[in-house]
Amino acid sequence: MSGAPDGLEIIDCHNHILRSAEHSCDIYTNLLRFSRAMGLPDEPDFFGTPDEAQRVMDATGIAHMNILMFTWSGAYWRQVQNILPDEPGERAVAADDLRARIVRRVQDNNSWALDQVATSSRLSCFIGVDPVLMDEQTLLAEVEQGVRRGALGVKHVPLNHGTEGDDRRMWPVLDYCQSAGIPVLTQASGYLPGQPRRWAAAFADFPKLQVVFAHLGHDQHFGRGADAEVVELARTHPGVYTDVSLRLIEVADGHVSAEDMVAHLRAIGTDRILFGSNWVISEYLWFRGRPGVTPQSSHDRLDSELEVLRTLPLTDDERADLAARNFRAVRDMFERGPARKGAFTPADIEAYVEALARPGALTAGIDYYRANLALGFAHALPATAQPGSFSSAGSRCAAR
């Protein structure tokens, strides 16, 4: 495993490695809505593929990248609503077909990410879910299969599907994750869907749930709003973690002082914070802030974040925790999360991992939730979420 030249092990917990140039173009033009009309290139010069990620790790000294498999399923769903038939019966049939196609895309993307993990010891992944388009059985089957194939956790994106942390359609997944000691990483924001305080009901029902709030909360005003909500949640819930993706950039750009950043990290608890970059999306977002500037590499922004990581006025232990050790702790939650400390020996854990890796070993949980269908569990909720932030369909990259 490669390492940083200064000996600091760095694990990037928050990555969006993409399948291909076409996949990259879809996120660039369809999700981010970037185009030449904004003074930006019609397509990026790099595509965030696994080969590119390997080169970036080698160039930056990052030892390991964790893929957050994000399918912009909500965007696909909303974009096609205006072209469904008018006739109600035909519209329902077309909507069902569309839902099935999008769910299959989520599943195929998850499967692709797990394939990458199976062939590279430098990659891991959290699989993506959509609690609006996927029903209970599909959600739980997807998580079960992902865990069986090596997924470390579940990725939840409120911005994508237009829900918050208190949406009961996620309850079966949260219950499952708490029972199995599987962390959930959720996109957080103070000005978009993803408000950390909306998770209070989930923690009340699932007090041992492990949740990583991305971006320290991501408020527009550092340390306030959603950022402060993460601090409070960390004080009251032992399973709350967060990552610094998109936030060390604020120090690099001079918007937040290094001292203020360290004070905020310590207010959360430096044992609760993971290093993350949001690569490759973070590199694309930088295009918007400097139109007309050609990037020098596919890791310009990441280089700046890593420099901040290495130079923040932290203790050596705090820096090592943030850079890699906290991610390893989240990875090893099974050893210390679901049961009292020391209840499982290393040999016990290996035996459980081997048993749970067998096909169908986790289906009891699915059977449990199937039984709840008869009781109407969670089915009084509306079939779709409120409209999100994406509107009409965008073009693919011009050259594709």
Side-chain angles (χ1 to χ4, degrees):
M1 180 178 288
S2 300
D6 55 6
L8 180 67
E9 183 188 24
I10 301 172
I11 297 176
D12 191 338
C13 81
H14 193 132
N15 270 268
H16 296 287
I17 296 174
L18 302 172
R19 298 182 61 164
S20 62
E22 290 74 19
H23 193 201
S24 176
C25 285
D26 191 29
I27 199 170
Y28 186 84
T29 63
N30 190 22
L31 185 71
L32 299 179
R33 317 292 291 170
F34 288 178
S35 69
R36 191 172 299 278
M38 301 172 64
L40 303 172
D42 278 330
E43 68 176 46
D45 293 328
F46 47 87
F47 301 108
T49 58
D51 288 345
E52 183 70 29
Q54 179 71 48
R55 291 191 292 271
V56 168
M57 285 191 281
D58 291 342
T60 61
I62 290 175
H64 186 94
M65 284 184 167
N66 183 57
I67 303 169
L68 300 180
M69 194 62 250
F70 165 40
T71 302
W72 32 105
S73 51
Y76 294 147
W77 174 257
R78 291 184 287 270
Q79 287 166 351
V80 180
Q81 297 305 301
N82 290 335
I83 64 170
L84 295 180
D86 284 344
E87 197 280 319
E90 293 179 0
R91 187 177 184 86
V93 170
D96 285 344
D97 179 66
L98 173 62
R99 184 188 300 266
R101 288 171 181 265
I102 296 173
V103 168
R104 179 59 184 269
R105 171 49 46 211
V106 173
Q107 295 167 330
D108 286 351
N109 284 346
N110 285 338
S111 183
W112 172 85
L114 291 163
D115 286 344
Q116 306 312 302
V117 170
T119 59
S120 174
S121 62
R122 299 185 72 183
L123 297 175
S124 55
C125 82
F126 282 35
I127 59 165
V129 296
D130 186 324
V132 174
L133 297 181
M134 303 169 83
D135 61 24
E136 286 180 23
Q137 181 177 343
T138 305
L139 282 166
L140 288 164
E142 189 65 12
V143 175
E144 180 199 25
Q145 177 172 279
V147 171
R148 176 166 54 83
R149 293 184 58 191
L152 299 187
V154 172
K155 170 63 170 171
H156 175 257
V157 188
L159 174 63
N160 172 54
H161 39 72
T163 67
E164 292 285 356
D166 54 6
D167 192 301
R168 262 66 176 176
R169 283 169 288 191
M170 273 294 288
W171 256 227
V173 174
L174 300 184
D175 192 7
Y176 180 99
C177 288
Q178 174 180 255
S179 298
I182 300 167
V184 176
L185 191 149
T186 184
Q187 163 253 327
S189 177
Y191 55 96
L192 295 167
Q195 297 171 350
R197 68 176 183 274
R198 298 286 294 274
W199 281 80
F203 287 121
D205 284 358
F206 310 108
K208 295 182 180 180
L209 182 66
Q210 313 282 347
V211 177
V212 182
F213 289 94
H215 323 307
L216 298 179
H218 212 193
D219 202 84
Q220 290 178 307
H221 303 285
F222 179 74
R224 296 161 57 186
D227 292 356
E229 290 169 16
V230 171
V231 174
E232 183 59 28
L233 287 169
R235 288 173 178 164
T236 54
H237 301 289
V240 168
Y241 292 78
T242 186
D243 74 42
V244 296
S245 58
L246 299 180
R247 302 311 295 272
L248 297 186
I249 289 172
E250 296 178 50
V251 178
D253 288 348
H255 301 307
V256 176
S257 72
E259 291 74 18
D260 285 347
M261 177 61 73
V262 169
H264 186 72
L265 299 180
R266 287 172 175 164
I268 297 168
T270 54
D271 59 337
R272 304 283 197 92
I273 302 166
L274 316 179
F275 175 74
S277 68
N278 214 54
W279 191 86
V280 64
I281 294 177
S282 57
E283 303 293 331
Y284 295 163
L285 291 174
W286 204 22
F287 293 177
R288 185 175 57 191
R290 50 174 193 164
V293 176
T294 301
Q296 298 301 304
S297 73
S298 62
H299 49 87
D300 286 5
R301 212 53 170 153
L302 178 56
D303 289 343
S304 297
E305 294 176 273
L306 291 172
E307 179 63 19
V308 172
L309 172 65
R310 293 186 173 103
T311 58
L312 281 175
L314 297 162
T315 68
D316 290 345
D317 274 345
E318 288 173 329
R319 195 181 323 278
D321 283 348
L322 198 157
R325 291 197 306 220
N326 291 341
F327 179 85
R328 292 192 178 280
V330 173
R331 167 64 182 92
D332 296 335
M333 280 175 185
F334 186 37
E335 184 170 4
R336 58 184 177 82
R340 69 185 187 279
K341 186 176 182 180
F344 294 118
T345 67
D348 291 333
I349 293 166
E350 288 302 317
Y352 276 111
V353 170
E354 180 182 357
L356 291 171
R358 296 171 185 168
L362 300 179
T363 52
I366 293 177
D367 291 340
Y368 170 80
Y369 286 106
R370 283 175 179 165
N372 274 289
L373 291 175
L375 302 176
F377 178 77
H379 282 284
L381 295 163
T384 59
Q386 295 297 316
S389 59
F390 303 107
S391 53
S392 58
S395 62
R396 298 294 186 262
C397 292
R400 299 292 155 189

